[in-house]
Amino acid sequence: VELGPTYVKLGQIASCRRELVDTEWAPPLQRLQDQVPAFPGGEAELRRRLGRRFEERFEAVDGAPVAAASLGQVHLATLRDGRRVAVKVQRPNLKAIYDKDVALLRTIFKALDRFKVSVGVDQAWGAIFDDAADLLYREIDYRCEAAHAREFAENFRDAPWVTTPEIFDDLSTEHVLTMAYVPGVSLKDVAAIEADPSLDAKSLARNLARCYLLQFCRHGFFNTDPHAGNLAADAAIPKGRLIVYD
């Protein structure tokens, strides 16, 4: 965590590795999915990023974030029309941190090429890293995430068994993402799912598999960050509805 958001992101990836699930490393790595220490002054950062729109549209913002991860944290808020929303606000100076980390990592990957360390495929380490860096920078532009959420919602508009929160475009920017508040039980909380009579774990598992098969095979557009911190379920339909947050 102390190394910064780039390394937290790497830890999130490691937390999903099958070979680590039953090791002592699993619990601390899984906490990186949505329990990274929050940064102070989240509401102030939100005010700074939204400017006048914050004063005009927001009635109140909960001070303590409900989740925090590698790129930002999520605060619940109430709009002046009474609607509850979840607002993701990016960590301050994130791009500058990325710039430094990416420069360091690029040097390491160039060294691997220079010493002809085999990657196992016909592609240089440097080229692989450049592709990954491009994705990292796109991820810190919340306008991309908003567009992806809209496309996901359109692709599954006729599927009552899965949903993603509606995006408020007029309250979203490169650094702020405002969406409808859709609470649910995290899919990693197996005990809570099994204890809830309105949720059926087997049905949810089948629908999660169906969701990804449709993404891969029909839509050609899929969520590449499917750790349990981004997945939940609610009782909107019998046996439970999937919620895809990110």
Side-chain angles (χ1 to χ4, degrees):
V1 171
E2 293 178 0
L3 289 173
T6 308
Y7 298 93
V8 170
K9 177 58 66 177
L10 293 174
Q12 288 180 343
I13 295 170
S15 74
C16 299
R17 296 292 300 180
R18 182 177 179 181
E19 60 267 29
L20 294 176
V21 168
D22 295 323
T23 71
E24 63 183 308
W25 297 99
L29 287 172
Q30 288 168 0
R31 286 196 291 272
L32 296 177
Q33 294 174 359
D34 56 7
Q35 297 177 42
V36 176
F39 63 85
E43 181 177 346
E45 184 70 9
L46 181 57
R47 287 176 181 271
R48 184 174 77 86
R49 294 297 187 182
L50 288 180
R52 184 176 177 181
R53 283 175 290 177
F54 181 89
E55 302 298 337
E56 292 175 344
R57 298 290 303 281
F58 284 83
E59 181 67 29
V61 176
D62 293 2
V66 293
S70 56
L71 307 184
Q73 59 195 40
V74 178
H75 291 262
L76 299 184
T78 304
L79 300 181
R80 292 195 182 277
D81 61 10
R83 285 181 291 180
R84 289 285 278 172
V85 293
V87 189
K88 183 189 292 188
V89 57
Q90 195 172 107
R91 293 179 180 274
N93 305 313
L94 186 60
K95 185 178 181 300
I97 296 171
Y98 261 34
D99 288 342
K100 293 179 181 178
D101 289 343
V102 166
L104 174 61
L105 290 170
R106 180 172 281 116
T107 299
I108 294 172
F109 278 81
K110 284 183 176 179
L112 293 175
D113 284 333
R114 188 164 62 251
F115 290 104
K116 302 186 185 303
V117 178
S118 174
V119 69
V121 296
D122 188 21
Q123 189 174 12
W125 281 107
I128 294 173
F129 177 76
D130 287 341
D131 287 343
D134 180 61
L135 292 173
L136 282 173
Y137 278 109
R138 271 190 268 168
E139 192 172 6
I140 64 175
D141 185 344
Y142 286 170
R143 294 170 299 187
C144 292
E145 185 175 336
H148 295 159
R150 287 192 297 272
E151 184 167 350
F152 182 95
E154 175 62 20
N155 289 344
F156 287 91
R157 66 184 183 279
D158 296 323
W161 45 269
V162 63
T163 191
T164 194
E166 176 190 358
I167 302 297
F168 289 71
D169 289 307
D170 56 334
L171 294 175
S172 298
T173 70
E174 180 181 355
H175 305 99
V176 173
L177 184 63
T178 302
M179 63 202 100
Y181 175 47
V182 184
V185 179
S186 173
L187 291 196
K188 66 182 179 181
D189 194 347
V190 177
I193 291 174
E194 292 179 341
D196 191 330
S198 63
L199 302 178
D200 182 86
K202 290 184 178 179
S203 176
L204 291 169
R206 283 194 297 268
N207 283 336
L208 182 60
R210 176 163 57 150
C211 179
Y212 269 91
L213 284 172
L214 288 170
Q215 290 177 66
F216 294 143
C217 302
R218 176 179 294 176
H219 304 305
F221 177 84
F222 52 91
N223 184 323
T224 58
D225 196 19
H227 63 70
N230 288 338
L231 299 167
D234 65 13
I237 63 170
K239 296 186 178 182
R241 177 182 66 169
L242 290 173
I243 308 169
V244 180
Y245 288 125
D246 189 352

